Amino acid sequence: MTADTPETRFSISNNSSHLYQDHFSYILEYKNGTQADGFFDPELLKKSLNILVRKHYKPVAGWFQARNNGIDVVYYSDKFNDPPISTQTLDINYETLSRHVHDSNVELLVPAASSTEITFEDNDIPMIMVKVTYLESNEAVVLGISYHHSLMDGTSFWTFMANWSALCKHLYEHGDTAEFGIPHSPTFEFPDISHFHNPSKKFEHPEYILVDPDQYHTKLQPGPEKIVETILEVSVEQQHSLRQQARDIGVSFTELLCAVMWKGINGLRLDLDPEIGSGLSFYTCILNSRTRTGVSNNVCASPVINTPCERTVAEVAALEVCDIAQLVHEAIGKCTGEYLSSSFRYLHKQFIQELDNTRNSRVGKKLMCAFTCSAPVKCVIASSRTFPIYSTDFGFGTPEYVHPPYLPYDGFVRIWPTPMYDARSSNAPLHVYVSQPEHVDLSLSPLLAQFLKRNID
């Protein structure tokens, strides 16, 4: 790069984006039902992706850069870090490939990054990676996609996917002969929300925890036990019943479903080990903070906020589901603009201190998300049921199935749509992926057994 190369940079350390220094992956399965020619042509995928990032998503073709005053995303107008696309062709049938998708075989289907943690020394971290799996029979294609969570969250990612698939479909159907504007023009850098700051209010921030350097980690830790993923299915009738119950007690459907999950998991773990009754039962809901601050969903960032609620295991066991739903409702409700501004200010102040400690070779506390630390019971919930996951049409129809990020970490719960699901009408089943140690049998919980379908190792 020459000294006069135009450069754009924006910070990811003035909000919570830099906390999530890991790659998250999705697996999308497409069936070639019509035996179409040029089905997911690799050159077309590469061309459409490169056009998208170079014209509309330049930061995705940029680099992370750690500096003395924070972490930035930087990109240059004449040099691009194009997202890598790899391909493979397997001599297996469609049913076998589909089983690999449902079993979340990330080793086979998803690209792996050699590095995810942003440091002063390592700037060569891919923002997005793609692996395309073809079959010799041309029956199907699987897209395995990983993105760095410090640049995007789920909202940003699925907006990106909607734009990529629309552009690829346009090129497939019309070639380069017509101009095309992407459906959702992105903006970058989470806007300043300091106008929400209220110096007269002081907030505690239990969503973060300070630890000694030897306890600090940027990636989730799987722990000593094997974690298995259980898929629960909430039927249309069960959704309608939960919605009515939620209206009766003045909470949302999601808040009530979170309460069911928390109490069910808590009860199972207490039954397995009665000695943990006085220990911590830690609930967290992972929220998109854009809606709380009036910021457009087209902002490409990862400013999620974690809303924790703590009780002892025995206390949660003694509460009714409706009472737990009120706790969840209160935890989510406190995330006002004022709270978020305070949270980001606290986070940024601590991060600048950590950078100063590193620069001056000092030992000091480091900050992590509280839900990454161990507890006798954890229930960490992320809901993706409103994302346009099954609308990504690259020119050959929408996906048969999309697997959420496989997270083999104790206590993770993901609320996930099925192919025909519409969040506004609850017209199809809803899936809930629950990660627990292998010895925890969800069928032993009356609350959870009603939704139980099948297990995935």
Side-chain angles (χ1 to χ4, degrees):
M1 295 175 205
T2 60
D4 59 350
T5 300
E7 176 186 321
T8 301
R9 66 170 61 239
F10 63 85
S11 174
I12 64 165
S13 51
N14 61 357
N15 56 68
S16 61
S17 293
H18 73 277
L19 285 178
Y20 309 103
Q21 294 185 31
D22 204 352
H23 282 89
F24 274 43
S25 60
Y26 294 87
I27 308 174
L28 295 81
E29 173 191 320
Y30 291 86
K31 189 174 183 180
N32 190 3
T34 63
Q35 289 295 300
D37 292 331
F39 185 65
F40 282 87
D41 177 75
E43 294 307 314
L44 181 63
L45 287 174
K46 291 177 184 178
K47 180 177 181 179
S48 58
L49 182 57
N50 286 348
I51 290 174
L52 182 67
V53 299
R54 290 184 175 210
K55 187 173 183 180
H56 302 285
Y57 279 88
K58 291 183 179 179
V60 174
W63 292 262
F64 292 115
Q65 185 179 92
R67 301 200 301 168
N68 289 341
N69 60 348
I71 297 175
D72 293 345
V73 174
V74 299
Y75 62 91
Y76 300 80
S77 62
D78 61 352
K79 182 176 180 179
F80 293 90
N81 184 22
D82 286 327
I85 297 184
S86 61
T87 63
Q88 64 178 345
T89 303
L90 303 178
D91 187 14
I92 57 177
N93 61 29
Y94 170 65
E95 290 72 22
T96 302
L97 177 66
S98 185
R99 188 163 60 249
H100 283 302
V101 175
H102 283 260
D103 289 352
S104 192
N105 190 339
V106 293
E107 289 79 12
L108 177 67
L109 301 173
V110 175
S114 59
S115 177
T116 63
E117 184 178 353
I118 304 167
T119 66
F120 286 103
E121 297 78 23
D122 188 1
N123 292 324
D124 190 21
I125 299 173
M127 305 286 188
I128 284 182
M129 302 172 292
V130 181
K131 187 174 186 178
V132 191
T133 300
Y134 297 90
L135 294 181
E136 292 281 3
S137 63
N138 200 32
E139 292 177 271
V141 159
V142 167
L143 299 181
I145 305 172
S146 290
Y147 68 94
H148 200 284
H149 212 322
S150 286
L151 180 67
M152 296 184 182
D153 60 359
T155 301
S156 304
F157 175 78
W158 287 108
T159 301
F160 178 88
M161 289 298 294
N163 286 327
W164 181 23
S165 60
L167 176 57
C168 187
K169 182 177 182 180
H170 172 81
L171 293 176
Y172 176 71
E173 295 176 346
H174 304 287
D176 296 329
T177 58
E179 280 293 318
F180 178 75
I182 59 175
H184 312 282
S185 294
T187 56
F188 299 91
E189 185 168 23
F190 196 71
D192 180 18
I193 62 169
S194 60
H195 58 282
F196 286 112
H197 178 57
N198 185 346
S200 67
K201 288 190 176 181
K202 304 297 181 184
F203 297 98
E204 297 294 325
H205 291 289
E207 65 267 29
Y208 308 126
I209 188 168
L210 291 170
V211 299
D212 293 328
D214 60 346
Q215 298 176 303
Y216 173 76
H217 49 82
T218 60
K219 300 182 69 172
L220 297 169
Q221 303 299 301
E225 298 183 82
K226 180 182 179 182
I227 303 296
V228 298
E229 193 174 65
T230 305
I231 299 179
L232 307 181
E233 184 170 290
V234 187
S235 70
V236 172
E237 294 75 18
Q238 289 168 328
Q239 290 175 64
H240 289 323
S241 176
L242 287 169
R243 286 186 184 281
Q244 184 57 57
Q245 294 175 52
R247 284 192 291 267
D248 290 344
I249 61 175
V251 301
S252 72
F253 165 78
T254 300
E255 289 166 344
L256 182 58
L257 185 57
C258 289
V260 171
M261 295 297 125
W262 186 14
K263 183 170 176 64
I265 291 170
N266 185 90
L268 279 174
R269 302 302 285 267
L270 181 59
D271 288 343
L272 285 169
D273 184 3
E275 298 297 319
I276 66 172
S278 60
L280 181 65
S281 186
F282 190 83
Y283 163 85
T284 302
C285 185
I286 301 174
L287 287 182
N288 170 5
S289 67
R290 295 172 182 80
T291 55
R292 304 275 164 160
T293 51
V295 174
S296 168
N297 278 339
N298 286 355
V299 172
C300 188
S302 186
V304 297
I305 189 76
N306 306 299
T307 60
C309 184
E310 300 178 7
R311 292 293 186 275
T312 67
V313 177
E315 286 172 336
V316 175
L319 290 172
E320 298 295 332
V321 169
C322 61
D323 299 319
I324 297 174
Q326 292 293 342
L327 294 177
V328 172
H329 177 74
E330 291 167 9
I332 293 175
K334 76 176 184 180
C335 280
T336 61
E338 289 181 344
Y339 185 89
L340 287 165
S341 177
S342 173
S343 178
F344 288 177
R345 287 169 67 90
Y346 169 75
L347 181 65
H348 187 60
K349 180 180 178 180
Q350 176 61 31
F351 185 67
I352 295 301
Q353 180 62 59
E354 291 178 20
L355 288 175
D356 188 61
N357 289 343
T358 299
R359 190 168 56 250
N360 292 286
S361 302
R362 289 195 301 263
V363 176
K365 296 284 188 178
K366 296 180 75 68
L367 181 143
M368 296 193 310
C369 291
F371 71 78
T372 64
C373 298
S374 61
V377 176
K378 288 200 297 185
C379 182
V380 182
I381 297 185
S383 176
S384 305
R385 67 187 188 87
T386 61
F387 292 166
I389 291 166
Y390 286 97
S391 300
T392 48
D393 181 357
F394 284 80
F396 308 98
T398 54
E400 292 288 310
Y401 177 71
V402 180
H403 199 291
Y406 176 54
L407 298 173
Y409 309 109
D410 188 2
F412 259 86
V413 177
R414 280 143 305 146
I415 303 173
W416 194 255
T418 54
M420 299 303 295
Y421 181 79
D422 184 337
R424 294 167 296 183
S425 58
S426 299
N427 61 335
L430 184 65
H431 281 167
V432 182
Y433 290 72
V434 182
S435 295
Q436 288 286 296
E438 189 174 28
H439 70 273
V440 178
D441 184 354
L442 269 62
S443 69
L444 298 179
S445 165
L447 276 175
L448 304 182
Q450 61 182 317
F451 309 121
L452 191 59
K453 287 296 178 183
R454 64 190 182 90
N455 288 345
I456 296 179
D457 285 352

